[in-house]
Amino acid sequence: MKKIAALVIAFILMVSLLSACVHDSADDSKPDDTANVTAPGPVDYLSADYVYTSEVIPFQLLPDGKTYIDNIVLAGNVVYFTARNIDENADDKTSALFAMDIDGSNFKELPNYKPGSFPADITNAIVYISSMHVDNEGNLWVAETRSIDGSDMPDGFGTNLIRKLDNTGDETAAFDVSDLPADEDYIYVYALNTDDEENIYAASFSTIYVLNNQGSLLFTLDFPDFFKSFVSLSDGRVAYVEQQSGGELSLYLKVVDVESKAWGETIGLPSNVWRSSGIFPGNNDYLYLFNDNNFLNGVSIETGNQVQVFNWAGNNLSSDDITGITLLPDRRIAAARLPLSAGGNISLTELVLLTPVPALELPDRIILKLATFWFGSDLRHVVEQFNRKSTTHRIDVIDYSTFNSDEDWRLGLLRLNTEMITGNRPDILDIRFMPIQNYASKGLLVDLYPFLDADPELSRDDLLENLLIASEIDGSLYRLIPAFELITMFGNPGILGDYPGWTVEEFLDVILDNPQAERPIGNNGTKMALLSFLILNNMDEYIDIQSGTAFFDNDDFIELLEVANTFPAEIDYNISKFHAVPDGRQIMDAGRIGLLDFQINRVLFGGELILKGFPTKERDGNVLSPYTNLAITISCEEPDVAWEFIRMYLQEDIQRDIIPNWLFPMSKYIFEEVITKKIPIGGGVGASDGIGELHLKAEEMNLTDDEIDYLRSIILNSTRIVNDDRTILDMVQEGASDFFNGRNTAADAARIIQNRVTIYLSEQAG
């Protein structure tokens, strides 16, 4: 029993991250006099007549240390949720059940809920609510996992219950599901739903159980992907979210057909829908709802077409964070959000209430448009913070990735490039994945040095000097890089050489000298992957934007093509580097190196690690890869305000807490904090790539002073930055493909690539 309880505890910590739900119930919603703007037919949440204000609704102080909130279900105007104490030393780990209105009022613990229905004389019971659902009649359904600390369950008490409760928590029905047929040692209901006939749908690991309203098993369905959820369709059917391992669609819905006791219709979802927690039940207007990169979308009951319902990005929210919603007929929207914060770690769920305000009633604010291809949590946080503080200006985000299609991922960039040239430019650019050299050479960007030098609180001395220098173009600073990664090639110095850096020839010699290494660079070791990785992270070796010159038609690049051609066209990605390195099949790796990455790879590669960088003539191929990097365009009429926004990224709280913890910050002082930080893991840590794993002992976890000095030196002496111009990479790949497929010689491929890139550079300069 103790073993089962321990497994359940571990499992629930993972499942709870995906446990927020949604339930649309117009009957339960309470109109708000300040936003009573109901209209017949579907509510237009995108209407330009209204602007949404957002308010984070705090959860009230919870009793007895039960501060970990999960299983959030939004049902009309009411929010139900469970809370528990996750301290492993806590005496009481049992879930409690709470409710409040979406505006935070009427907070209460459900008075009649008795966890587990244990007799009064059992005081050491532990009850977890692993899943919760609210049906169309307002009944609560909870799945409970029950155990007794230190002893077996009494006779007649199963370990798993599904209970039906009223809105006070009083039990109206209960079904023991402990003895359902299962392939596993125990049942754990991580997803729960009901339909209009009160048939019960329960998912446990790879099995879906369908029970009637008396708790009798009707049938089971096998389901290999157990870490997903149910979705109620507005026509009364219940579907399950499945992750597709290959093909065009990443996620789709599989409808349960109760009559045939089998899987029914399969409903495909767009390829930019990639989070199962972002798919929600339908309502009177939509069969179901789902998030893509930036929008809440619905499938119209009337037309069957997909329509945009609400713009998360336009309201400074990341769709990735949204795990539950309720749409109210008075235009308000409540959303459960699981944001990234505190150095990129998942924080506790919060409730956000979005309230429409007539646009004419708001004071005019000057809008600054910010263009991005990835509206991540850090950028969203800074935009939201700026918009809440400023009473005169507002940042509106345009995510150009939404203009891409499944057939062409470059449509967004084509649109942005056209706007940059024609003058319809955004004010601010998050210039990741954009051709900054091209924009700078055309005079489309503003030099940020005058703003930095005039800043009353910041100076160049506060920032990493090498990062500023690496960011310069002809002595001007056209972008600020608040955070970055170190990208490099690495391995054991006994194999790669103990001298700093290497040339292309030296790199190729290492590969040729180790014929036993059948996959010398691991998963980067296909023909095209190797070539692409070396070019993308070493673009300055092959082009000079300022002079419009390319350097592909030479012996070094021809030899690189020839060696890449000795690599396989395809590779088995099911081979772990944690297996391939120890047995000699892999002798190096390439990618990001942070503190934990250094520690893991030091152990993996035999106790020593050298960061060689990518092969260059000067042996200086360690590369800084910008995360967020921000620029101001010449069309911005409020550059001082744009700078006020950009400089927020350099605030200590942002540099320390909001920037994800695998990155290095631009601030000298916070950088020093990060690189000398000790990792408090008493028993060590396990590293895994999903296939193999490596365990680091506690004494291997923290870097020595010499290793810290070495990593610091590598970073502070790196002056190369990843070039994100994918157009040039496409040209290289197309030319190399003809050689790899035998249609050209390596020399011919190099000449063709040289000509195409030269023409492209000339066109960009013009």
Side-chain angles (χ1 to χ4, degrees):
M1 180 57 63
K2 287 184 177 179
K3 179 180 178 181
I4 291 177
L7 290 171
V8 170
I9 291 171
F11 195 79
I12 195 170
L13 288 174
M14 294 185 291
V15 173
S16 62
L17 297 179
L18 302 176
S19 57
C21 305
V22 61
H23 173 82
D24 183 85
S25 177
D27 294 338
D28 292 337
S29 64
K30 297 193 302 186
D32 186 320
D33 292 339
T34 64
N36 191 10
V37 288
T38 56
V43 175
D44 183 7
Y45 295 96
L46 294 172
S47 171
D49 294 334
Y50 296 92
V51 175
Y52 278 85
T53 61
S54 63
E55 177 186 6
V56 176
I57 304 299
F59 289 97
Q60 302 292 330
L61 183 64
L62 298 170
D64 305 324
K66 295 181 185 294
T67 57
Y68 189 86
I69 295 171
D70 52 11
N71 291 311
I72 296 180
V73 178
L74 291 81
N77 197 58
V78 180
V79 182
Y80 296 98
F81 61 94
T82 63
R84 54 195 170 89
N85 192 330
I86 60 173
D87 184 346
E88 62 181 14
N89 298 316
D91 293 330
D92 181 9
K93 301 185 182 72
T94 290
S95 298
L97 188 53
F98 299 87
M100 68 180 184
D101 290 349
I102 60 171
D103 60 4
S105 62
N106 296 323
F107 176 86
K108 61 186 175 183
E109 183 172 359
L110 298 194
N112 296 328
Y113 175 62
K114 297 179 176 55
S117 297
F118 282 105
D121 60 336
I122 296 180
T123 59
N124 57 341
I126 300 174
V127 180
Y128 297 104
I129 296 179
S130 57
S131 185
M132 185 164 64
H133 168 69
V134 178
D135 65 23
N136 290 333
E137 302 300 321
N139 300 300
L140 279 72
W141 296 78
V142 296
E144 294 181 343
T145 298
R146 308 188 298 179
S147 62
I148 297 177
D149 191 19
S151 60
D152 295 331
M153 296 286 287
D155 292 340
F157 280 81
T159 56
N160 298 90
L161 280 182
I162 293 177
R163 303 172 66 195
K164 179 182 177 183
L165 313 173
D166 65 20
N167 61 9
T168 71
D170 197 19
E171 179 184 295
T172 59
F175 311 110
D176 190 335
V177 295
S178 307
D179 295 326
L180 289 175
D183 295 332
E184 293 78 19
D185 293 336
Y186 60 96
I187 297 290
Y188 181 84
V189 179
Y190 63 87
L192 183 65
N193 211 304
T194 61
D195 61 22
D196 291 343
E197 303 299 322
E198 283 199 357
N199 293 314
I200 303 166
Y201 301 76
S204 175
F205 297 99
S206 58
T207 303
I208 289 177
Y209 302 91
V210 181
L211 297 81
N212 65 17
N213 59 11
Q214 299 300 311
S216 298
L217 180 64
L218 297 177
F219 59 95
T220 64
L221 294 172
D222 291 332
F223 205 88
D225 189 2
F226 66 87
F227 210 61
K228 295 294 177 281
S229 57
F230 289 114
V231 175
S232 296
L233 306 181
S234 60
D235 59 11
R237 295 178 297 167
V238 172
Y240 196 75
V241 185
E242 180 171 1
Q243 178 77 47
Q244 187 170 337
S245 58
E248 296 181 358
L249 301 175
S250 57
L251 288 173
Y252 55 91
L253 303 180
K254 296 189 72 171
V255 178
V256 179
D257 188 332
V258 177
E259 184 175 349
S260 65
K261 299 182 179 181
W263 290 115
E265 179 186 3
T266 295
I267 301 173
L269 295 170
S271 59
N272 60 352
V273 181
W274 58 284
R275 286 183 181 269
S276 62
S277 58
I279 304 172
F280 313 111
N283 59 17
N284 294 332
D285 301 314
Y286 305 104
L287 182 65
Y288 58 92
L289 298 154
F290 61 90
N291 283 336
D292 61 18
N293 291 341
N294 291 296
F295 283 88
L296 175 68
N297 301 271
V299 173
S300 170
I301 293 175
E302 182 179 352
T303 67
N305 296 328
Q306 174 185 328
V307 295
Q308 292 179 343
V309 178
F310 187 71
N311 186 351
W312 297 117
N315 289 277
N316 309 312
L317 294 169
S318 171
S319 62
D320 291 348
D321 297 345
I322 306 300
T323 60
I325 59 166
T326 185
L327 304 177
L328 299 170
D330 59 7
R331 292 188 186 271
R332 290 182 302 162
I333 298 175
R337 185 171 72 164
L338 190 66
L340 289 175
S341 62
N345 299 315
I346 291 178
S347 64
L348 296 180
T349 300
E350 61 189 27
L351 183 66
V352 178
L353 182 61
L354 297 154
T355 302
V357 178
L360 294 177
E361 294 181 6
L362 292 176
D364 289 337
R365 288 204 289 177
I366 298 173
I367 303 298
L368 276 68
K369 294 182 179 180
L370 187 154
T372 184
F373 282 95
W374 179 254
F375 191 37
S377 61
D378 63 311
L379 182 58
R380 185 261 307 157
H381 178 94
V382 179
V383 169
E384 188 174 343
Q385 189 179 101
F386 177 89
N387 286 343
R388 286 180 176 174
K389 287 183 177 180
S390 177
T391 59
T392 57
H393 295 78
R394 174 185 171 86
I395 304 291
D396 278 359
V397 176
I398 305 171
D399 186 342
Y400 280 79
S401 70
T402 61
F403 302 116
N404 296 338
S405 69
D406 294 341
E407 294 75 28
D408 192 346
W409 57 268
R410 295 169 294 189
L411 292 178
L413 182 58
L414 177 62
R415 182 183 182 120
L416 176 62
N417 285 341
T418 301
E419 292 175 358
M420 290 292 290
I421 293 171
T422 59
N424 184 28
R425 306 178 188 98
D427 300 283
I428 304 170
L429 304 176
D430 171 15
I431 209 158
R432 281 178 295 181
F433 317 123
M434 301 179 192
I436 182 174
Q437 297 270 6
N438 178 11
Y439 294 167
S441 67
K442 293 182 182 304
L444 302 178
L445 303 179
V446 173
D447 184 2
L448 301 182
Y449 269 143
F451 297 94
L452 177 60
D453 293 339
D455 196 290
E457 298 176 350
L458 292 171
S459 73
R460 302 189 193 195
D461 292 337
D462 298 321
L463 308 176
L464 296 181
E465 181 181 8
N466 66 304
L467 186 57
L468 285 174
I469 293 173
S471 303
E472 290 179 358
I473 298 176
D474 288 345
S476 295
L477 184 70
Y478 292 116
R479 61 176 166 184
L480 194 74
I481 302 175
F484 62 95
E485 298 174 297
L486 174 66
I487 308 293
T488 186
M489 304 185 77
F490 51 87
N492 188 292
I495 296 176
L496 306 189
D498 59 2
Y499 50 88
W502 46 9
T503 63
V504 171
E505 182 178 1
E506 290 165 343
F507 162 70
L508 298 176
D509 284 345
V510 169
I511 292 178
L512 296 174
D513 289 344
N514 288 273
Q516 85 289 349
E518 61 187 48
R519 42 189 299 127
I521 317 176
N523 287 341
N524 294 303
T526 65
K527 300 175 190 290
M528 195 61 76
L530 171 64
L531 182 66
S532 301
F533 204 74
L534 292 178
I535 296 299
L536 187 62
N537 291 287
N538 203 15
M539 191 75 78
D540 290 346
E541 284 289 291
Y542 300 100
I543 62 168
D544 183 343
I545 292 286
Q546 304 309 313
S547 65
T549 307
F551 309 104
F552 292 99
D553 193 8
N554 56 62
D555 291 341
D556 280 350
F557 183 70
I558 291 171
E559 185 178 8
L560 184 61
L561 285 173
E562 290 172 340
V563 172
N565 196 39
T566 66
F567 282 64
E570 302 291 337
I571 201 167
D572 185 356
Y573 290 100
N574 292 317
I575 297 176
S576 168
K577 73 175 184 178
F578 296 122
H579 299 152
V581 171
D583 64 20
R585 288 177 293 166
Q586 180 175 342
I587 56 173
M588 69 182 86
D589 205 350
R592 179 187 72 212
I593 285 288
L595 294 178
L596 186 56
D597 304 305
F598 191 102
Q599 295 149 352
I600 291 170
N601 285 287
R602 174 192 58 192
V603 175
L604 177 62
F605 283 98
E608 292 185 88
L609 194 70
I610 188 168
L611 309 181
K612 294 290 285 188
F614 297 94
T616 67
K617 293 177 182 178
E618 293 80 17
R619 298 190 178 91
D620 60 349
N622 291 298
V623 180
L624 307 177
S625 177
Y627 188 63
T628 298
N629 53 141
L630 298 163
I632 302 174
T633 72
I634 57 171
S635 295
C636 181
E637 297 180 356
E638 302 276 344
D640 290 328
V641 177
W643 171 252
E644 282 300 312
F645 166 75
I646 290 175
R647 74 181 299 280
M648 288 177 67
Y649 257 104
L650 300 179
Q651 296 174 183
E652 284 194 12
D653 60 328
I654 304 294
Q655 288 275 291
R656 180 180 290 113
D657 298 330
I658 301 304
I659 290 174
N661 57 14
W662 61 85
L663 302 174
F664 294 103
M666 187 182 202
S667 164
K668 279 183 181 178
Y669 317 110
I670 310 302
F671 172 81
E672 196 60 28
E673 284 183 19
V674 168
I675 202 166
T676 57
K677 184 178 181 180
K678 300 297 182 182
I679 301 178
I681 303 178
V685 67
S688 172
D689 57 9
I691 305 166
E693 61 182 12
L694 177 73
H695 184 76
L696 278 70
K697 300 175 183 177
E699 60 268 21
E700 297 171 323
M701 282 306 304
N702 290 304
L703 303 183
T704 66
D705 290 343
D706 287 344
E707 288 169 332
I708 290 173
D709 290 343
Y710 173 64
L711 182 57
R712 181 193 290 112
S713 176
I714 290 290
I715 293 172
L716 297 184
N717 286 287
S718 297
T719 56
R720 292 179 179 267
I721 288 185
V722 171
N723 187 317
D724 277 327
D725 193 334
R726 303 300 172 106
T727 303
I728 293 177
L729 181 62
D730 286 347
M731 293 177 181
V732 173
Q733 290 175 334
E734 290 171 7
S737 179
D738 286 339
F739 166 58
F740 293 155
N741 292 324
R743 293 190 290 267
N744 272 330
T745 66
D748 287 339
R751 177 178 49 79
I752 291 170
I753 293 170
Q754 173 77 15
N755 291 339
R756 292 190 64 189
V757 174
T758 299
I759 292 172
Y760 169 74
L761 293 176
S762 176
E763 291 173 347
Q764 299 308 301

